[in-house]
Amino acid sequence: MRIGYPCINRRIGCTPNSTFRLANYSPQRLVETIRGNLECLQRTLAFNAEHGVLFFRIGSSLVPFASHPVCDYDWADHFRSEFSRIGRFAGDHGMRLSMHPDQFVLINALDPDIIARSAAELVYHAQVLDLMELDRAARVQIHIGGAYGDRPAALDRFCENYQRLSEPVRRRLAIENDERLFGLSDCLTVHRRTGVPIVFDRFHHECLNAGESVREALRLAAATWQAEDGPLMVDYSTQAAGQRAGRHSEHLDPEAFEAFLAEAVEVDPDVMLEIKDKEASAIEAVAVLKALEA
DNA sequence: AGGTGTCAAGCGTCC
DNA sequence: GGACGCTTGACACCT
């Protein structure tokens, strides 16, 4: 089992998510920003390797405006060797990488323009992982999308539009159960029709489920991953005590996490901690895991 | 230097 | 039908 955290390390004094305003776009600005982001990503992964943190989600703004029409510069070619080096570092350390486009990516939208922009954004995400020369275990996770007043139709549309995505995107894609519209059972339906594997979000499952226990849900989600796709990916977070519903906790609760590990041990997933203090909780979680294994 | 309104993109909810 | 929350970070402009 690998433990990870998303997008940024709060301790090392750099961010791999630097961006700029669209109005300030220039090829020079783009190149400077990507260079800084890649350098910071490399530093982040080095930090993670030293701390036994072997799972990391790369933020979507690694290459700002990558799928926007304004971006006509061949950044992929410009930074080819840097991407490759980062990917090799990850591979050498047994790391797994993932990405998670944000809520604007909706491949089941009604508006063809939204679908087209979403597809372009997915091409960019898959391209980052391809440039790093990572195997199929490195995934791009999205939600099924909106309901548009007719959930069954929206789910059908996801499956139809999935088939129209390019092969490089399809081989990276995974879907995640959300907290309000499409739960694990919906994801399983989509999986049966498309083969896309399911990222299990434990917190979302608490909010929306069909009565499956966490243990059962883990087993069902794990079965959607082929050997070459790597182990099941899990997003782990907990409700911040006393805060608005949906807000993530500030710190890891080691006892709750240990209880979760007891349920997860059979399927042995890779676990992404969506907790606000990022690497601090991940390091603590690695310690909890090691204590259990000892 | 520090504070704060705003940022490519959309859905769902609430009024 | 319009404003806001989502979840969050970072920019960029303001004082």
Side-chain angles (χ1 to χ4, degrees):
Chain A
M1 180 184 300
R2 288 168 286 205
I3 305 281
Y5 62 96
C7 302
I8 186 165
N9 180 307
R10 302 204 154 289
R11 203 176 296 187
I12 62 177
C14 68
T15 176
N17 309 308
S18 184
T19 181
F20 49 85
R21 295 287 173 260
L22 181 57
N24 297 330
Y25 176 88
S26 72
Q28 294 78 13
R29 183 76 188 263
L30 180 71
V31 166
E32 284 167 26
T33 304
I34 297 169
R35 179 177 296 116
N37 285 345
L38 290 175
E39 282 171 7
C40 184
L41 178 57
Q42 173 64 56
R43 285 182 54 199
T44 302
L45 296 184
F47 174 98
N48 291 351
E50 283 171 25
H51 292 83
V53 174
L54 301 181
F55 192 18
F56 187 72
R57 181 187 299 162
I58 299 168
S60 293
S61 62
L62 186 71
V63 180
F65 305 105
S67 73
H68 191 281
V70 77
C71 184
D72 60 354
Y73 183 78
D74 192 350
W75 53 269
D77 189 58
H78 190 287
F79 289 104
R80 194 168 296 277
S81 65
E82 286 84 354
F83 278 105
S84 174
R85 187 163 47 88
I86 289 170
R88 200 171 326 115
F89 182 90
D92 288 348
H93 290 82
M95 286 181 171
R96 189 178 201 184
L97 299 176
S98 67
M99 299 185 81
H100 191 346
D102 61 14
Q103 72 263 42
F104 306 110
V105 169
L106 294 156
I107 70 169
N108 75 343
L110 291 163
D111 179 345
D113 292 338
I114 293 173
I115 298 170
R117 281 193 291 273
S118 298
E121 183 73 352
L122 289 175
V123 166
Y124 150 64
H125 282 79
Q127 188 178 14
V128 166
L129 302 176
D130 287 348
L131 285 165
M132 291 178 182
E133 299 165 45
L134 299 167
D135 67 22
R136 297 183 60 147
R139 305 303 286 207
V140 175
Q141 66 186 84
I142 60 172
H143 296 288
I144 291 175
Y148 306 91
D150 185 344
R151 279 178 9 96
L155 196 137
D156 289 345
R157 212 159 44 240
F158 181 99
C159 297
E160 287 163 24
N161 292 339
Y162 172 89
Q163 305 298 349
R164 300 197 180 101
L165 295 170
S166 66
E167 199 279 333
V169 168
R170 274 183 283 134
R171 68 192 286 273
R172 294 282 181 199
L173 212 61
I175 55 171
E176 175 190 349
N177 58 304
D178 71 60
E179 76 277 35
R180 291 202 319 271
L181 297 174
F182 296 105
L184 175 65
S185 59
D186 299 307
C187 291
L188 287 164
T189 300
V190 172
H191 166 75
R192 280 193 290 273
R193 295 196 206 162
T194 63
V196 66
I198 299 171
V199 175
F200 178 66
D201 188 306
R202 187 202 152 282
F203 185 34
H204 289 168
H205 186 73
E206 246 178 56
C207 307
L208 177 65
N209 61 72
E212 313 93 336
S213 68
V214 169
R215 191 182 294 268
E216 174 69 357
L218 284 165
R219 195 185 62 74
L220 290 166
T224 66
W225 293 75
Q226 311 269 350
E228 68 267 25
D229 296 332
L232 168 69
M233 291 184 4
V234 169
D235 282 352
Y236 178 90
S237 62
T238 46
Q239 170 69 41
Q243 299 279 331
R244 189 177 59 241
R247 191 173 185 89
H248 291 171
S249 300
E250 196 71 35
H251 307 289
L252 182 76
D253 176 343
E255 289 181 12
F257 185 65
E258 194 172 330
F260 169 74
L261 288 181
E263 300 191 282
V265 66
E266 288 162 47
V267 299
D268 198 28
D270 292 326
V271 180
M272 180 71 63
L273 301 175
E274 293 184 320
I275 296 177
K276 293 192 78 175
D277 65 2
K278 308 287 183 182
E279 81 288 342
S281 283
I283 290 167
E284 199 172 337
V286 168
V288 171
L289 180 62
K290 280 189 177 155
L292 275 186
E293 284 170 345

